[in-house]
Amino acid sequence: MTEITKIQRLVCNEFNADFVSSPEDMKVGISRNVKQGVIPINGLRHSPEGDTTGWYIWGGEEFSEEPDFFVPLHVAHLGEWCPDIKKYLALPPGYRFLIAGDYVDVWFDESLLNI
């Protein structure tokens, strides 16, 4: 078991959530401003589909409805953008997170499963 998998399992246990991996060769949708360090960092997970994990991640208070706001990025490259995100990527569909410095919030949002 890799170190990140161990950490992801601990995060899932902390929030009493099932472990649903996000393999390195799959993609997330991410806003470019995450790489620029905009905070807070937000993430939400829909059900995986095709070669995507279901994760959408953005920096700032709100995300844009513009069609090019989210760009596809392989999980393997997330460490170059924001390594703090990876430990949350095994939370199952329906989960959200918000990270702002030392502040972290993780919660289940059932409405994400109804898309």
Side-chain angles (χ1 to χ4, degrees):
M1 184 180 312
T2 66
E3 188 63 28
I4 190 62
T5 301
K6 290 177 188 175
I7 293 168
Q8 288 173 339
R9 287 193 182 281
L10 289 172
V11 168
C12 289
N13 287 342
E14 179 181 349
F15 296 102
N16 200 24
D18 291 338
F19 178 92
V20 179
S21 70
S22 291
E24 298 268 306
D25 63 337
M26 292 183 74
K27 298 173 190 162
V28 299
I30 192 166
S31 67
R32 290 179 181 89
N33 65 2
V34 170
K35 193 172 186 179
Q36 299 162 353
V38 173
I39 57 172
I41 302 291
N42 295 274
L44 61 80
R45 191 172 196 182
H46 294 293
S47 294
E49 189 174 311
D51 65 349
T52 68
T53 62
W55 279 107
Y56 289 88
I57 301 161
W58 69 96
E61 296 293 328
E62 297 182 19
F63 65 87
S64 170
E65 297 289 334
E66 294 299 317
D68 63 347
F69 182 71
F70 291 106
V71 295
L73 182 72
H74 283 100
V75 171
H77 300 293
L78 270 175
E80 301 162 23
W81 285 52
C82 185
D84 295 339
I85 296 171
K86 288 188 85 167
K87 67 182 177 182
Y88 300 100
L89 294 186
L91 290 166
Y95 272 81
R96 300 176 71 123
F97 65 79
L98 183 144
I99 305 168
D102 291 336
Y103 178 81
V104 175
D105 193 7
V106 174
W107 69 100
F108 181 73
D109 180 351
E110 189 172 354
S111 70
L112 297 175
L113 302 176
N114 301 324
I115 306 253

